Amino acid sequence: MAAALYDPDGGFFTSQSLRSVKAGDFLTSPEVSPLFGETLARFVDEELAGIVPPASGASVGGKVPQPEQSEGWSRGAFLVEVGAGSGSLLRPLLATLENPVDSWAVETSPAARQALAAFLPPAHVVPTIDDLPDRFSGVVLANELLDNLPVAVAVRTGDGWTERWVGVQDDALVLVPVEARPRVAGWAERFGLPAPERGLVEVQLAAGEWLQAALGRLEAGTVLVIDYGDTTENLEKRRVEGTLRTYRAHHLGPHPLDEPGQTDITVDVNFTALIDRAVQLGASVEYHRQDDFLNRLGLRARLSRLRHQELDLARHGDPIERLKVRSARTEAETLLHPRGLGDFRVLVARVR
Ligand SMILES: C[S@@+](CC[C@H](N)C(=O)[O-])C[C@H]1O[C@@H](n2cnc3c(N)ncnc32)[C@H](O)[C@@H]1O
């Protein structure tokens, strides 16, 4: 999965095209509408207001930030989006924030980094989380990132676990049963039960490590993770076939071993495991559905205003303006759809 998605020569996300756009392979909330970023701006404003800026500022690799890197600092805090894609979340979010904040983007994809450097200082667009300042205060966002982090596949066998590794047979990639590594079996035992005999569990060690790396950089701040997935309990039914799958051109794609590098490989995120890791790291945690979360931040009220505007414009308004309002209204409904994007999960982990 790591090679198929991130190999520098031919990985799905490292190849030259931008993946998370309308013409690409999947459509995420920020690609559906700028209302997503505009709504999250309120969250970022609230979180930043609750953070005391560090006394000495942040350090970049142990060095004092260069003047151009400090440009725009208004609070001594950072906003970071990891897996920022085309910038469709950050751009409207930054335009809506009440107070500007020093912003960074972390992106594996060179094409996406190029798009992000068009509106962020180029020194603030970096390929890995390790390129961020060692310690800072602020907000770290990740929308539809953790579902793409490499997993191990564990199979329930008797009262234990085996693993499936990727091997080669007759020039083709195949899945090979092997004894489960202790860390993999340990994770599956904690977050993969109950599972039927031969049931599949995606073991999400890399997602936990990512959360640890993000929270570990924060002196004070908040990590916001939004993705598809659920709790261990609610994922139970998905443990027969597992949730590992591919997407291409907005549709389910071929088996993950077919055409590596040509498809988005993804799993449902296990939020119980993430919550557990955040709590172990001393964070306080909130867990929501995306529809509830966005509504609390004002999207329901915005939708209601758009509906009224649309009605007014239908009676005596400019038809072009009416079409614009109508399209914003349907976008807001898409973000809140209870069986679609509204059913995504939101984890807020705070350290103070
Ligand atoms: C599904 S896309 C989501 C993009 C954007 N967040 C959105 O919602 O439209 C996942 C993005 O994360 C990037 N990515 C994947 N793993 C990453 C990692 N470990 N660090 C930084 N970016 C990563 C990919 O290149 C891709 O642009």
Side-chain angles (χ1 to χ4, degrees):
M1 192 169 170
L5 294 181
Y6 306 115
D7 185 86
D9 302 318
F12 178 76
F13 285 118
T14 30
S15 67
Q16 277 313 306
S17 52
L18 258 177
R19 299 296 188 174
S20 57
V21 292
K22 286 201 172 77
D25 293 279
F26 41 78
L27 208 50
T28 59
S29 293
E31 294 290 338
V32 164
S33 175
L35 286 168
F36 187 69
E38 288 168 21
T39 307
L40 288 189
R42 177 153 169 201
F43 173 81
V44 173
D45 269 323
E46 287 175 2
E47 294 302 310
L48 289 175
I51 295 168
V52 183
S56 55
S59 60
V60 179
K63 287 179 236 124
V64 174
Q66 298 304 301
E68 73 273 16
Q69 293 174 317
S70 320
E71 207 178 292
W73 273 13
S74 66
R75 300 166 168 159
F78 287 173
L79 170 65
V80 179
E81 187 184 0
V82 185
S86 68
S88 54
L89 167 53
L90 267 188
R91 215 193 281 251
L93 190 160
L94 294 177
T96 313
L97 277 182
E98 278 184 10
N99 296 298
V101 64
D102 203 18
S103 304
W104 295 68
V106 181
E107 241 309 330
T108 306
S109 151
R113 284 203 300 278
Q114 208 175 350
L116 291 158
F119 68 96
L120 289 174
H124 285 199
V125 181
V126 294
T128 75
I129 201 165
D130 297 331
D131 301 307
L132 289 172
D134 298 334
R135 298 278 288 164
F136 58 89
S137 293
V139 177
V140 178
L141 308 175
N143 187 65
E144 288 204 40
L145 168 74
L146 270 60
D147 66 276
N148 281 135
L149 298 187
V151 296
V153 176
V155 184
R156 186 69 173 162
T157 316
D159 57 2
W161 299 91
T162 50
E163 261 187 82
R164 287 187 177 167
W165 285 19
V166 179
V168 180
Q169 197 175 47
D170 301 330
D171 271 353
L173 296 177
V174 290
L175 289 172
V176 185
V178 295
E179 195 180 322
R181 290 165 289 176
R183 274 189 82 204
V184 169
W187 192 102
E189 202 65 28
R190 278 199 74 189
F191 304 113
L193 288 174
E197 178 68 18
R198 305 190 60 73
L200 299 182
V201 171
E202 293 91 19
V203 172
Q204 302 175 17
L205 294 167
E209 280 154 19
W210 181 88
L211 187 62
Q212 179 158 358
L215 278 171
R217 296 191 114 73
L218 290 180
E219 284 177 17
T222 307
V223 176
L224 176 74
V225 170
I226 305 181
D227 222 313
Y228 38 84
D230 216 319
T231 56
T232 287
E233 191 189 1
N234 293 336
L235 286 170
E236 183 184 341
K237 285 196 217 74
R238 298 175 225 175
R239 269 177 225 132
V240 180
E241 306 271 316
T243 69
L244 189 72
R245 59 195 181 276
T246 69
Y247 285 103
R248 184 164 57 190
H250 303 292
H251 294 287
L252 274 175
H255 187 277
L257 293 190
D258 298 342
E259 306 174 53
Q262 304 299 311
T263 62
D264 174 25
I265 308 178
T266 177
V267 295
D268 285 356
V269 173
N270 182 315
F271 277 92
T272 302
L274 288 179
I275 291 169
D276 183 79
R277 179 63 74 104
V279 170
Q280 267 180 30
L281 293 165
S284 63
V285 168
E286 282 176 23
Y287 179 59
H288 306 279
R289 291 172 53 90
Q290 172 161 309
D291 48 8
D292 293 338
F293 184 70
L294 295 179
N295 282 337
R296 185 192 72 71
L297 293 167
L299 191 56
R300 176 66 63 199
R302 181 96 183 251
L303 175 58
S304 160
R305 285 200 300 279
L306 286 166
R307 282 182 179 142
H308 283 114
Q309 257 179 293
E310 199 184 339
L311 279 176
D312 282 351
L313 288 163
R315 274 187 229 113
H316 37 68
D318 170 8
I320 303 289
E321 192 55 29
R322 183 183 163 207
L323 276 180
K324 278 193 203 150
V325 170
R326 183 179 169 180
S327 124
R329 190 257 301 159
T330 55
E331 289 169 4
E333 286 169 348
T334 304
L335 294 177
L336 296 172
H337 196 290
R339 288 187 305 283
L341 291 169
D343 191 37
F344 278 33
R345 298 294 187 264
V346 178
L347 172 69
V348 181
R350 296 190 179 92
V351 283
R352 294 288 191 268

